[in-house]
Structure formats: structure tokens, C-alpha cells
Amino acid sequence: MVLLGWSVLWLLLPLGSRAQKLPTRDEELFQMQIRDKAFFHDSSVIPDGAEISSYLFRDTPKRYFFVVEEDNTPLSVTVTPCDAPLEWRLGLQELPEDSSGDSSGDPEPLEQQRQQMTHEEGTELFSYKGNAVESFASSSSPAGLYQLELLSTEKDTHFKVYATTTPESDQPYPELPYDPRVDVTSLGRTTVTLAWKPSPTASLLNQPIQYCVVINKEHNFKSLCAAEAKLGADDAFMMVPKPGLDFSPFDFAHFGFPPDHLGKERSFLAKASPKLGRPVHPRPKADIQKVCIGSKNIFTVSDLKPDTQHYFDVFVVNTNTNMSTAYVGTFARTKGEAKQKTLELKDGKVTDVFVKRKGAKFLRFAPVSSHQKVTFFIHSCLDAVQVQVRRDGKLLLSQNVEGIRQFQLRGKPKAKYLVRLKGNKKGASVLKILATTRPGKQSFPSLPEDTRIKAFDRLRTCSSATVAWLGTQERNKFCIYRKEVDDNYSEDQKKREQNQCLGPDTRPKSEKVLCKHFHSQNLQKAVTTETVGGLQPGKSYLLDVYVIGHGGHSVKYQSKVVKTRKLC
């Protein structure tokens, strides 16, 4: 164990001589110290192999320190934002010399070492901005003082940090299966049945786990911590820690829980009755539910509101460590009244549609004015779906749609169109569909027939890649994003990414390359190239291009994986 916080060093000062060196790590002593709440109170230590929770005031940075005492040490640091995006960075400073230059040969006082290490400018190893769970990992880290600095610019919030020098053996976060998506297997007026593949943590690692399901009407969550923050301090109260794995919660205010909601009468296992004479103010109930269901990987959510879109997230929790991992969430709209069998499409308005596995959905489009052409834009967010379009009973179109497709049909006065969407055998389908008689004025962005991204192999370098994509005659805004991936990143892994209808607002700002506008009246010249720089040699990157329409709706081109050259 080689992580040691400055708070531990600082609190050791009164126990030693007036001139101390950096103390070496004693495992048994450290375990005793972190369980001593008086010793560990409000310290800036990051312990090795245990997740800590803390609080951030808006625009007030918080710093944590730890020492890696030996070179070539594996290191992994994971930060989980809760309730608000974070800005955080990890830096490295060299350790001071063991002794001073005094003729006496006595070691430097600890205060001088601390000032020397904290005042010198270190090397930034990693930085991130956003609300996703993000990690820094290195298989061989140098010895030195590591500083983790966190900042919230939106509001007061809390967060979690986990650091370890034995990432291979720890495996504190439960693993996800090969396909980490949550499927909707049954849909009713007030019920939705969810199913997901089991985590390998229970079967392969023989560790106890349980699944927790979160339901709300606003959005999906990237971590259980974020969902619990929405629930509120009372419902998000930490679970009982296991000896030797978590810290004794001696002071909840320092773990990000407002003191107004936590009193001395609060038991760690259950809520005690309020003291006599103390007024109890009921908290408004949040429009969110969390249900932990044990090791079952199928669950039916009941008592939902009919004809309402709900978002569903599943988290697998290691019950030994209370640490969790998020599956890829999903969303679905509960059924409306039985008589509402056909959904009306409004001219120029994007409509979200959910089709259950092997199920069918009917949509009706009746233009209010005469028209020469009708354009259908269909975006299948997950798996392929079969699309049929009939005009006044006559079949005009029958195709399987995967990704983005645009169909333009000849119009007819007072014609009515019936769209039939049929789900496939793999799972439920989520789509965005738009029908319009005025394609030049609709809010869905226009697309070329070919939405691929082309990479130029001859223009690849060790630090950049040049790509091109097609545009249209209409002027659109295009944004390109990059993400480093493993060398064996495959097409199947692309499909397992989150909902393809999610826009660039779901991506971390650190992945954004640039945004630009372009178009060309000559379709043969409606092509643009861009060089993505700042890449690392011999690394693979996933490139995504989003086209954003005038109404704010976005569509993603087909993802492209490029690899930089190792030698230049």
C-alpha cells in the first residue's frame, strides 16, 4: 500500500520529533488510523483501495494529496460526480530529498517539506470536465506527490473518489456483461418490464451483488450517486459499510450530506424517532424511484402514469464494497388509452416512438393542405425496424431501417398516410420520426444519402487524422467529437454504445474537436474535410460527426474508428 495523504502526514506531526521526514507506510497502523474518526476528521487523504465521499461548494476547489513511494507502481483514480458536472485534474510533483543541506545532517522539518511540495508547480497528468464517471489509469507510475483538484462551477454538490495501487486485484466496481443495455420486454398502460444480462462479477469473481433500478421522467443517469442525489439526502443515505472496506461515517456533513437533515438521533441502520418537541418538516417527494431487487435480472415497474415517457436505469452494486456500475439505460412511453391505437404525426414535428420486441406501432399523417411531395425522416436509435408506408390504402414503401433514413414520396390531394413500424426479434426499438410536406422548413436536419465518415490513410500521422464527410445544399451546423478506444474496438461495440439518438449534449466537453457550418449548391462539391489533431501515436480513436438542425435536433453520422501511426 503506497498511497498516503497529506492530512495523515500533518496529523502525525505532534506525535513525532520537531524535525520529521516523510514517514513510510505501515499497513496496520494506517488501517487503525482511518477507522479513528478523530484522526481522520476532515482530512485530505486519499486512502488506497477505499471509496470516499465528500462535498464541494460552488466555485471553491478542493484538493486531495497522496504519495506514491516507489517508481513503476500501478495507479488508478476514479472520480464519480453526483448531482452536478465537475472539473478535475490530477497532477504530479517530485518527492523532496530525504535530508536538508544543513551541516548538522538533520532532516527537514515536515512543514518545510509540505511547503516545498505544495508550492512547486507539478506536471498535469489528466484533466476532465463533465458529469460522467471518469478514470485515470497507469500501469507504471513514478514516485512522487500526487494532487487531485476538484471544482464545481454550477452549484454545491458532492462526489466520490476511488484510488488504488493494485487495480488488477481490487476490482471494486462490478463488471458489465458483453451487452450492457437494458431492454424493455413488455409495455402496458401502467407497467413496464425490464430485463438485462447478468453481471459477470457474481459468476466469475464470486462476489455478492444486487441490482438497483431507478425510474424517473426526466433523463437517464450516469451513476447511482447522481440518482441518489436527485432522491435527496435522506433517501441517498449511505449503506452500512463493511469493516476494512469503508470508513466509519462519523461526520456526515463531510461526506456531502446537509446537516439540516441529519441529527445525532439518526441511527446508521435505521431512522430513530424524532425527539419530543422537535418539529418535523416533511420533504417534498421527488418524482423518482429507486428499488433494489437483489440478484434478479428482470423487473416489472408498476404504478406508472399512462401515456407518459419514463427513463429506466439499472445499477449493479457490489454489496461488499457498496460500489456500483451503471448499465446503459433506456426509456419508454407507457401505453395510452386502448382507443388510441394510431398516433397522429404533425407536419414538421419530430415524434419519439417506442416499439416493443416483435410488436408494431401505427402512425397516421394527414396533411392539412395540398402537397406535391411528402418526406419522412426516420432515425432508428437502437436496432433495425421494418417501415411500411401506405397512401389511402396503397402500399408505397416497405423497407428495413437501421440508423438514419430519408424517404420522399409523391403527394396526392387530400391523401392520408399510414405508417406501420414493426420491431425485430432482438429487442425493443426506439425511433425518432418526422413527416413533412415542407422539407425545406422542417426542424430535422437534412442529410446526404451517404452518412459515412471517410478517413484518408495517406494523411494519417502520429498525432492527427484527416477525415471527410458529405453535406447538403442546406446550410447546417456540424460538430465533430473524438474518443480514445481500445485497438480491438469493433462494429459490434459501436452498436452497444448508448442510444444513437442522443445528441452532442451528452458528450463530455473534453471530447469535442470543433463545430462548423458548410453547404454547397453543387452536391458534388458538398464535402468537407477536417484534420483532428492532438492525438497520441499508435492509438485508436472513435470519431463522431453530429449534424444539428435549426430546431436543435441532431443526427449522428456513422461512427469511424481511426488509428494514428506509431512511427513518423
Side-chain angles (χ1 to χ4, degrees):
M1 194 76 83
V2 293
L3 296 185
L4 196 60
W6 265 115
S7 292
V8 175
L9 301 178
W10 191 240
L11 290 169
L12 284 172
L13 182 60
L15 304 178
S17 61
R18 59 185 178 86
Q20 289 182 329
K21 294 189 297 182
L22 288 170
T24 57
R25 172 63 179 274
D26 185 289
E27 175 64 22
E28 294 182 0
L29 175 62
F30 184 77
Q31 289 295 333
M32 178 191 71
Q33 291 166 351
I34 65 175
R35 289 193 290 268
D36 182 357
K37 62 185 180 183
F39 181 88
F40 203 71
H41 179 79
D42 198 23
S43 69
S44 57
V45 65
I46 298 183
D48 195 335
E51 188 179 62
I52 64 171
S53 300
S54 192
Y55 199 78
L56 271 179
F57 293 103
R58 184 172 64 90
D59 294 330
T60 303
K62 179 170 284 190
R63 296 176 181 86
Y64 289 90
F65 301 90
F66 57 88
V67 172
V68 172
E69 298 177 343
E70 299 178 1
D71 286 329
N72 303 318
T73 298
L75 178 63
S76 175
V77 179
T78 301
V79 176
T80 302
C82 303
D83 193 32
L86 295 181
E87 300 179 15
W88 65 273
R89 58 181 56 86
L90 183 68
L92 169 64
Q93 298 171 346
E94 294 183 358
L95 288 170
E97 298 295 334
D98 289 341
S99 61
S100 66
D102 297 339
S103 59
S104 63
D106 293 335
E108 290 181 345
L110 183 59
E111 170 64 14
Q112 293 184 17
Q113 296 185 28
R114 188 182 73 86
Q115 291 181 356
Q116 176 184 348
M117 299 173 76
T118 56
H119 289 173
E120 291 181 357
E121 183 176 356
T123 302
E124 183 175 296
L125 302 176
F126 185 80
S127 64
Y128 173 75
K129 295 180 181 180
N131 59 355
V133 180
E134 192 62 63
S135 299
F136 166 84
S138 173
S139 60
S140 179
S141 296
L145 173 70
Y146 288 76
Q147 173 179 295
L148 176 66
E149 181 175 314
L150 305 102
L151 176 67
S152 173
T153 58
E154 289 191 6
K155 61 180 179 178
D156 298 349
T157 186
H158 63 284
F159 61 92
K160 294 184 178 183
V161 176
Y162 178 82
T164 180
T165 55
T166 54
E168 293 296 328
S169 60
D170 283 2
Q171 296 184 333
Y173 294 98
E175 292 187 26
L176 292 177
Y178 180 77
D179 183 356
R181 292 183 299 183
V182 178
D183 292 321
V184 176
T185 60
S186 178
L187 186 66
R189 293 183 62 252
T190 60
T191 61
V192 172
T193 299
L194 307 171
W196 56 92
K197 292 179 173 57
S199 166
T201 296
S203 57
L204 299 181
L205 302 180
N206 198 26
Q207 294 183 9
I209 58 125
Q210 72 167 343
Y211 297 101
C212 294
V213 182
V214 173
I215 309 103
N216 79 107
K217 299 177 183 177
E218 296 182 5
H219 55 77
N220 291 111
F221 290 98
K222 296 183 178 180
S223 68
L224 183 57
C225 175
E228 290 175 337
K230 184 71 174 180
L231 281 164
D234 282 347
D235 294 325
F237 197 73
M238 290 188 299
M239 299 173 65
V240 180
K242 302 297 186 294
L245 293 173
D246 291 321
F247 300 108
S248 176
F250 49 87
D251 186 351
F252 300 105
H254 292 280
F255 283 82
F257 297 98
D260 294 342
H261 301 295
L262 300 167
K264 294 181 180 179
E265 71 278 9
R266 178 91 181 243
S267 166
F268 195 53
L269 295 175
K271 297 180 183 179
S273 299
K275 295 180 180 180
L276 292 177
R278 182 177 180 179
V280 178
H281 303 286
R283 291 165 47 86
K285 185 178 180 180
D287 192 12
I288 180 174
Q289 302 176 53
K290 184 186 81 169
V291 184
C292 294
I293 61 172
S295 58
K296 298 186 300 180
N297 63 322
I298 185 170
F299 181 68
T300 298
V301 186
S302 57
D303 299 327
L304 299 175
K305 187 178 180 181
D307 195 25
T308 303
Q309 183 157 294
H310 298 81
Y311 294 84
F312 306 95
D313 292 286
V314 173
F315 304 91
V316 53
V317 183
N318 185 324
T319 56
N320 275 343
T321 64
N322 293 330
M323 299 167 76
S324 61
T325 306
Y327 277 70
V328 177
T330 187
F331 61 89
R333 178 174 291 272
T334 49
K335 291 183 178 180
E337 298 296 333
K339 61 181 180 180
Q340 297 178 350
K341 295 182 179 180
T342 302
L343 182 66
E344 293 287 341
L345 293 176
K346 295 183 178 180
D347 198 335
K349 182 178 180 181
V350 178
T351 302
D352 294 321
V353 182
F354 173 83
V355 183
K356 65 181 181 180
R357 187 173 72 92
K358 297 183 180 179
K361 185 77 61 139
F362 293 90
L363 304 98
R364 180 175 178 270
F365 179 53
V368 296
S369 59
S370 59
H371 56 282
Q372 294 182 344
K373 295 180 181 180
V374 172
T375 304
F376 289 92
F377 295 88
I378 299 174
H379 189 177
S380 180
C381 308
L382 298 174
D383 293 315
V385 64
Q386 185 188 53
V387 178
Q388 290 184 347
V389 180
R390 295 178 182 271
R391 184 186 63 201
D392 297 333
K394 182 181 179 181
L395 182 64
L396 301 180
L397 172 70
S398 181
Q399 288 193 23
N400 287 329
V401 173
E402 185 173 7
I404 305 295
R405 291 297 301 274
Q406 173 181 333
F407 303 103
Q408 192 170 76
L409 306 176
R410 183 176 298 176
K412 187 177 181 180
K414 299 181 180 180
K416 295 180 176 58
Y417 300 83
L418 182 66
V419 181
R420 180 178 182 265
L421 305 173
K422 182 174 176 55
N424 58 37
K425 299 179 181 180
K426 295 182 180 179
S429 301
V430 180
L431 304 97
K432 288 181 178 293
I433 183 169
L434 180 144
T436 180
T437 58
R438 298 168 295 174
K441 297 183 179 180
Q442 45 82 26
S443 56
F444 216 78
S446 59
L447 293 169
E449 293 185 2
D450 190 347
T451 58
R452 293 176 299 174
I453 302 173
K454 177 178 174 56
F456 298 96
D457 185 69
R458 293 184 178 181
L459 299 180
R460 281 189 306 130
T461 71
C462 291
S463 61
S464 68
T466 300
V467 294
W469 64 91
L470 297 178
T472 62
Q473 292 177 332
E474 179 185 354
R475 189 170 185 266
N476 282 322
K477 179 181 179 181
F478 296 84
C479 294
I480 184 168
Y481 283 71
R482 70 180 185 193
K483 175 184 177 182
E484 184 177 339
V485 296
D486 296 333
D487 289 340
N488 57 354
Y489 195 84
S490 64
E491 293 295 326
D492 289 338
Q493 286 176 287
K494 291 181 188 177
K495 294 182 180 180
R496 296 198 307 273
E497 291 285 339
Q498 286 192 358
N499 191 321
Q500 293 297 304
C501 289
L502 297 178
D505 56 320
T506 63
R507 301 288 294 267
K509 292 183 179 179
S510 58
E511 296 179 3
K512 181 178 179 180
V513 178
L514 58 84
C515 291
K516 61 189 294 186
H517 292 80
F518 86 92
H519 71 293
S520 177
Q521 294 299 322
N522 185 348
L523 288 178
Q524 295 182 348
K525 297 182 179 180
V527 59
T528 184
T529 61
E530 197 62 50
T531 299
V532 180
L535 309 182
Q536 298 297 318
K539 298 291 185 180
S540 295
Y541 292 87
L542 180 71
L543 301 182
D544 287 311
V545 171
Y546 297 86
V547 54
I548 303 171
H550 301 301
H553 295 286
S554 62
V555 174
K556 190 174 75 165
Y557 277 45
Q558 298 178 38
S559 300
K560 181 70 175 180
V561 176
V562 298
K563 186 174 182 179
T564 55
R565 299 187 186 275
K566 289 185 179 180
L567 300 173
C568 294

